Amino acid sequence: MSQEDNNVEVAGGDDDIVDPWNVQSKSETGIDYDKLINKFGCQRISDELIARIERVIGKKAHALLKRGVFFSHRDLEFILDRKEKGQPFYLYTGRGPSSESMHLGHLIPFIFTKNDLTIEKSMELAKENAKDIIACGFDINKTFIFSNFRYIGQSPEFYQNIQLVAKNVTFNQAKGCFGFKEGDSIGKIHFPSIEAAPSFSGSFPFIFNGKKDIPCLIPCAIDQDPFFRMTRDVAPRVGLHKPALIHSVFFPALQGAQSKMSASDETSAIFLTDTQEQIKDKINKYAFSGGRATAMEQREFGANCEIDVSYQYLKFFYHDEEKLEVMRQDYTSGKMLTGELKAVLIKELQEMVADIQKRRAVVDDALVEQFMTPRPLQYSF
Amino acid sequence: MSQEDNNVEVAGGDDDIVDPWNVQSKSETGIDYDKLINKFGCQRISDELIARIERVIGKKAHALLKRGVFFSHRDLEFILDRKEKGQPFYLYTGRGPSSESMHLGHLIPFIFTKNDLTIEKSMELAKENAKDIIACGFDINKTFIFSNFRYIGQSPEFYQNIQLVAKNVTFNQAKGCFGFKEGDSIGKIHFPSIEAAPSFSGSFPFIFNGKKDIPCLIPCAIDQDPFFRMTRDVAPRVGLHKPALIHSVFFPALQGAQSKMSASDETSAIFLTDTQEQIKDKINKYAFSGGRATAMEQREFGANCEIDVSYQYLKFFYHDEEKLEVMRQDYTSGKMLTGELKAVLIKELQEMVADIQKRRAVVDDALVEQFMTPRPLQYSF
């Protein structure tokens, strides 16, 4: 459908399957991201680009960029150009992973949404999810949390943007992007216009202190790219900014990249509600190891970090750049054992989850209401 | 898609084309309604049914029923059963023709909506249209007027019903009902769920004084039937009442059943804004005559009422049942001339339009707001 982007056949042959509803790899190292970038037609985040980001923001780039968790983008240079000139932009992200908060928790409701929920259940979950997000430490003056269901009833502008997109995307184009089948519901077929619409929130002024035409940067896992590829195609046709994108890799299940996290399988993931003891037990019992079968073999041959879930989790969450690199080398060479690496991860996750639980305990319904009320945000553009 | 209803191929061969976006006949007498009833799988409104209606309501049936303007239905017996038992139901109709008000005006915005309007223009027109409807004399205590765009922002329940329908209709089913093509926008493909949703307003209690599960009766022109055929199919799957339907024939353009009313063609229709002089001129100049070329021929052979637009208009609007029948006989026999029949129509329309214009002049924005605010209606169920 697009001139700039490749059309994507979402499944086929020996390729990984990556679309907003399925992520599936046949390789134990997980998705081949280089192949995916090529297929999707987006850009690798290069060392040069990270260096430019650091020049523009005047400090070190976010750890998730340096570690390659966010690895790909669309139009990030355009956002950097604006940042350099002091021009505003805004971030939009969903229940999937976001660059400013943790993956561990965000992935759980994301998995949830793939299920066949009732509307009531969805709205309940949305509220619980909002509490998790707030517990991550978002600034209420700069953050508007919305659920699609509620926001539509709160802002006619939002629904107008949905219909603007829906009117300008044909079934054929949506099919090309998402691989829709004729047996899919017309709700599912229409959904991309709902996911697309907040990319154009910068077109109506009430949130941004009367400012209009503010472009959007979207951090998301790469499986969400098709929505925004479509959005970017529509944008110029309706006279609006294309959203820029920054893509993350996927967060693996405890059992490894080929396995799936599932809310119905307690052992597949660390939940934000897990106790300190549960975190320890799950990592020790279930986190797939890239190390050797015995300590002796590990000392001699070393581990494969690419498939080691504990190392992958540390890449997402560990607080210290240099120590992480030392651990990678020591674990790869065999100087470090799986049990030792797991101990580091357990401590890190226990602290992080305890912090979130502490903050979440004081998030009440009134605060959720405040976050979820459309209002001017406190940006000084 | 349906077990009870026939699948409809909306175009083909020498058949009339009737779907929500096209009404086209190759015959000068217009659409073959018997064929259409057969094709759509709905029921003819029989003399027996009209007699039952009169027994149930304890008075004469509405003139539009007796004259065959409303000629077909689905489940009207079910509504009559409820009426007999003193159980409630409600009416839902759109900008198309409705049994309780006039076609002349209602058809104009209906034609409008087929054009490619901007969202702003649509919302403006919705307001103007609401003023026309109010000017027809609807009771504010029993009538809620809504525009889809606004209502979605006013009531989460409405949007929830839209998504409930959208989730339960596949593209294939919608295609079977509406003849969608792959080049149609995902907005158009999703639209049937928006038109369907108010059929289920009886499922949430805020409008009906806390009462739930109130079934709906929909008066509409028969081209809107596919929307509600789909709606009726979805209803039992989501545990809600099927809406009952009562179908009207089409209101012809001044030039006849094969021609189209168009807002861009002044001469194709009588507008509610027309002056007394314009009404007279338009009927005299443009109303297609089923009479003979000369008065002498007319006296000898008589007119064909089936294709005579003035007679058709009288059938929609004339106030007196017996006099209408006398005119039909006299015009058919040749006793009455086209000019005489047109004079009767002109007087009738001039009075009716003057009345509406007088009432419309005092409809202000505040009254429109009142009609368009979701609120409990004053029904004593």
Side-chain angles (χ1 to χ4, degrees):
Chain A
M1 66 177 283
S2 165
Q3 273 137 23
E4 81 171 275
D5 308 317
N6 297 322
N7 247 348
V8 179
E9 272 305 320
V10 286
D14 281 339
D15 279 1
D16 301 326
I17 298 172
V18 178
D19 67 45
W21 296 276
N22 301 288
V23 176
Q24 213 179 299
S25 171
K26 278 154 194 151
S27 153
E28 64 171 0
T29 52
I31 302 296
D32 183 334
Y33 290 106
D34 280 320
K35 221 168 177 177
L36 205 56
I37 283 179
N38 192 31
K39 211 166 153 190
F40 277 16
C42 37
Q43 264 70 50
R44 195 26 105 183
I45 296 178
S46 64
D47 292 344
E48 290 71 37
L49 186 56
I50 294 178
R52 187 178 169 211
I53 290 171
E54 297 192 328
R55 280 199 307 277
V56 170
I57 63 175
K59 57 182 177 182
K60 290 218 164 199
H62 196 287
L64 293 181
L65 273 170
K66 297 211 157 202
R67 298 176 192 174
V69 168
F70 280 88
F71 70 104
S72 155
H73 76 100
R74 294 183 188 272
D75 273 353
L76 190 56
E77 286 101 341
F78 164 71
I79 296 293
L80 288 171
D81 290 346
R82 288 186 67 95
K83 182 81 186 160
E84 250 173 356
K85 292 184 221 150
Q87 290 168 337
F89 66 95
Y90 71 101
L91 294 163
Y92 157 42
T93 191
R95 299 209 258 185
S98 98
S99 66
E100 291 186 281
S101 61
M102 293 142 295
H103 292 71
L104 201 71
H106 275 96
L107 274 183
I108 309 311
F110 184 61
I111 293 159
F112 258 114
T113 56
K114 293 190 181 177
N115 296 337
D116 196 28
L117 295 170
T118 63
I119 288 165
E120 292 71 25
K121 189 75 190 155
S122 299
M123 293 183 86
E124 242 181 80
L125 281 175
K127 197 172 152 187
E128 291 310 301
N129 193 234
K131 289 186 181 173
D132 289 340
I133 295 169
I134 293 167
C136 293
F138 281 92
D139 179 350
I140 192 163
N141 295 313
K142 299 190 166 188
T143 311
F144 167 45
I145 300 177
F146 61 93
S147 93
N148 290 329
F149 263 115
R150 278 199 65 188
Y151 190 22
I152 281 175
Q154 292 169 318
S155 157
E157 293 90 346
F158 179 49
Y159 183 63
Q160 284 171 33
N161 277 351
I162 291 173
Q163 294 307 71
L164 194 63
V165 174
K167 218 175 132 174
N168 285 284
V169 175
T170 67
F171 177 74
N172 255 341
Q173 290 168 332
K175 194 172 145 190
C177 247
F178 305 105
F180 285 138
K181 295 188 176 42
E182 302 223 330
D184 283 330
S185 80
I186 59 175
K188 185 174 178 182
I189 291 165
H190 180 251
F191 179 71
S193 55
I194 299 177
E195 178 132 344
S199 311
F200 302 130
S201 292
S203 72
F204 49 87
F206 82 93
I207 290 178
F208 298 108
N209 293 329
K211 280 269 189 341
K212 268 184 164 188
D213 294 323
I214 300 175
C216 181
L217 172 62
I218 302 171
C220 62
I222 193 151
D223 61 328
Q224 301 297 300
D225 185 70
F227 287 119
F228 303 112
R229 208 183 306 147
M230 184 202 82
T231 312
R232 288 166 54 83
D233 245 39
V234 169
R237 279 188 272 138
V238 295
L240 296 170
H241 279 297
K242 286 184 182 191
L245 290 167
I246 178 165
H247 302 117
S248 77
V249 298
F250 303 110
F251 188 72
L254 280 171
Q255 286 75 8
Q258 283 171 290
S259 187
K260 272 193 177 179
M261 282 189 288
S262 158
S264 61
D265 181 2
E266 263 266 322
T267 70
S268 65
I270 305 289
F271 293 84
L272 288 180
T273 49
D274 282 347
T275 64
Q276 301 279 301
E277 206 53 28
Q278 281 174 312
I279 293 171
K280 188 179 158 192
D281 285 354
K282 283 186 183 180
I283 299 293
N284 280 333
K285 271 197 208 162
Y286 305 112
F288 184 81
S289 172
R292 302 290 164 163
T294 65
M296 201 182 295
E297 279 175 38
Q298 168 69 5
R299 295 280 182 219
E300 190 174 343
F301 304 108
N304 179 357
C305 280
E306 290 303 300
I307 59 169
D308 189 281
V309 167
S310 300
Y311 175 74
Q312 294 300 320
Y313 277 28
L314 283 170
K315 219 167 97 168
F316 277 87
F317 298 121
Y318 197 64
H319 64 281
D320 188 301
E321 217 57 32
E322 280 88 41
K323 284 186 191 160
L324 180 67
E325 177 54 20
V326 171
M327 286 191 284
R328 192 188 63 76
Q329 290 172 11
D330 289 352
Y331 192 45
T332 306
S333 70
K335 197 171 157 193
M336 197 173 187
L337 299 177
T338 297
E340 292 165 340
L341 191 81
K342 285 193 170 183
V344 175
L345 175 64
I346 288 164
K347 185 163 174 287
E348 189 81 15
L349 290 185
Q350 282 178 333
E351 283 176 18
M352 190 182 79
V353 170
D355 277 355
I356 292 176
Q357 288 176 350
K358 214 166 78 186
R359 281 195 298 258
R360 197 186 193 287
V362 296
V363 176
D364 57 9
D365 287 0
L367 186 58
V368 173
E369 268 308 299
Q370 276 182 275
F371 266 101
M372 296 187 78
T373 300
R375 65 203 186 283
L377 297 176
Q378 308 280 308
Y379 284 101
S380 48
F381 288 151
Chain B
M1 67 176 284
S2 169
Q3 272 136 25
E4 82 170 275
D5 308 317
N6 297 322
N7 247 349
V8 178
E9 272 304 320
V10 287
D14 281 339
D15 278 0
D16 301 327
I17 297 171
V18 177
D19 68 45
W21 296 276
N22 302 287
V23 176
Q24 213 178 299
S25 171
K26 277 154 194 150
S27 152
E28 63 171 3
T29 52
I31 303 296
D32 182 333
Y33 289 106
D34 280 321
K35 219 167 177 178
L36 205 56
I37 282 178
N38 193 30
K39 209 165 155 190
F40 277 16
C42 37
Q43 265 69 51
R44 186 42 95 182
I45 295 179
S46 65
D47 291 343
E48 290 72 37
L49 186 55
I50 294 178
R52 183 176 173 214
I53 291 170
E54 297 191 329
R55 280 199 305 279
V56 170
I57 63 176
K59 56 181 178 183
K60 292 220 162 197
H62 196 288
L64 293 181
L65 272 171
K66 297 213 158 201
R67 298 175 193 175
V69 167
F70 279 89
F71 70 105
S72 155
H73 76 100
R74 293 183 188 273
D75 271 353
L76 190 55
E77 286 102 341
F78 164 72
I79 295 293
L80 287 172
D81 289 347
R82 288 186 68 94
K83 181 79 186 164
E84 251 172 356
K85 292 182 221 150
Q87 291 168 335
F89 66 96
Y90 70 102
L91 294 163
Y92 156 43
T93 191
R95 299 208 256 187
S98 99
S99 66
E100 290 187 281
S101 62
M102 293 141 296
H103 293 71
L104 201 71
H106 276 96
L107 274 183
I108 309 310
F110 185 61
I111 294 161
F112 258 114
T113 55
K114 293 189 180 177
N115 297 335
D116 195 28
L117 295 170
T118 63
I119 289 165
E120 291 72 26
K121 188 74 189 158
S122 299
M123 293 185 84
E124 243 180 79
L125 281 175
K127 198 173 152 188
E128 291 311 302
N129 193 234
K131 289 186 181 175
D132 289 341
I133 294 169
I134 293 167
C136 291
F138 280 92
D139 179 350
I140 192 162
N141 295 313
K142 298 190 166 190
T143 312
F144 167 45
I145 301 176
F146 61 92
S147 95
N148 290 329
F149 263 115
R150 277 199 66 189
Y151 190 23
I152 282 176
Q154 291 169 319
S155 158
E157 293 91 346
F158 179 49
Y159 183 63
Q160 285 171 31
N161 277 351
I162 291 174
Q163 295 306 72
L164 194 62
V165 174
K167 217 173 133 173
N168 286 285
V169 175
T170 67
F171 176 75
N172 255 342
Q173 290 168 332
K175 193 172 144 190
C177 248
F178 305 106
F180 285 138
K181 295 187 177 44
E182 302 222 332
D184 282 330
S185 79
I186 59 174
K188 185 175 178 180
I189 290 164
H190 180 251
F191 179 70
S193 55
I194 300 177
E195 178 132 343
S199 310
F200 302 131
S201 292
S203 73
F204 49 86
F206 81 93
I207 290 178
F208 299 108
N209 294 330
K211 281 269 186 348
K212 269 182 163 189
D213 294 323
I214 300 173
C216 181
L217 172 62
I218 302 173
C220 62
I222 194 153
D223 61 330
Q224 301 298 298
D225 185 70
F227 287 118
F228 303 112
R229 209 182 305 147
M230 182 201 83
T231 310
R232 287 166 54 84
D233 245 38
V234 169
R237 279 187 271 139
V238 295
L240 296 170
H241 278 297
K242 286 185 181 193
L245 290 168
I246 176 167
H247 301 117
S248 78
V249 299
F250 302 111
F251 188 72
L254 280 171
Q255 286 76 9
Q258 282 172 290
S259 187
K260 270 193 176 179
M261 281 189 288
S262 158
S264 59
D265 180 4
E266 263 265 321
T267 71
S268 67
I270 306 287
F271 294 84
L272 288 181
T273 49
D274 283 346
T275 63
Q276 301 280 301
E277 205 53 29
Q278 280 175 315
I279 293 171
K280 186 177 160 193
D281 285 355
K282 282 185 184 181
I283 299 293
N284 279 332
K285 272 196 207 163
Y286 305 114
F288 184 80
S289 173
R292 303 290 165 163
T294 65
M296 200 182 293
E297 281 174 37
Q298 169 68 7
R299 295 279 182 221
E300 190 173 346
F301 303 109
N304 178 356
C305 279
E306 289 304 301
I307 60 168
D308 189 282
V309 167
S310 299
Y311 175 75
Q312 294 299 320
Y313 276 28
L314 282 169
K315 217 166 97 168
F316 277 87
F317 298 120
Y318 196 64
H319 63 281
D320 188 303
E321 217 58 31
E322 281 88 41
K323 284 186 190 160
L324 180 68
E325 178 54 20
V326 172
M327 285 192 285
R328 193 188 63 75
Q329 290 172 10
D330 289 353
Y331 192 42
T332 305
S333 69
K335 196 171 157 193
M336 197 174 188
L337 299 177
T338 296
E340 292 165 341
L341 191 82
K342 284 193 171 185
V344 175
L345 175 64
I346 288 165
K347 185 163 173 287
E348 190 81 13
L349 291 185
Q350 281 176 335
E351 282 177 18
M352 188 182 81
V353 170
D355 277 355
I356 293 176
Q357 287 175 350
K358 212 166 79 187
R359 282 196 297 261
R360 197 187 194 285
V362 296
V363 176
D364 57 10
D365 287 0
L367 187 58
V368 174
E369 268 307 300
Q370 277 183 274
F371 265 101
M372 297 187 77
T373 300
R375 63 202 186 283
L377 297 177
Q378 308 280 309
Y379 285 100
S380 47
F381 290 151

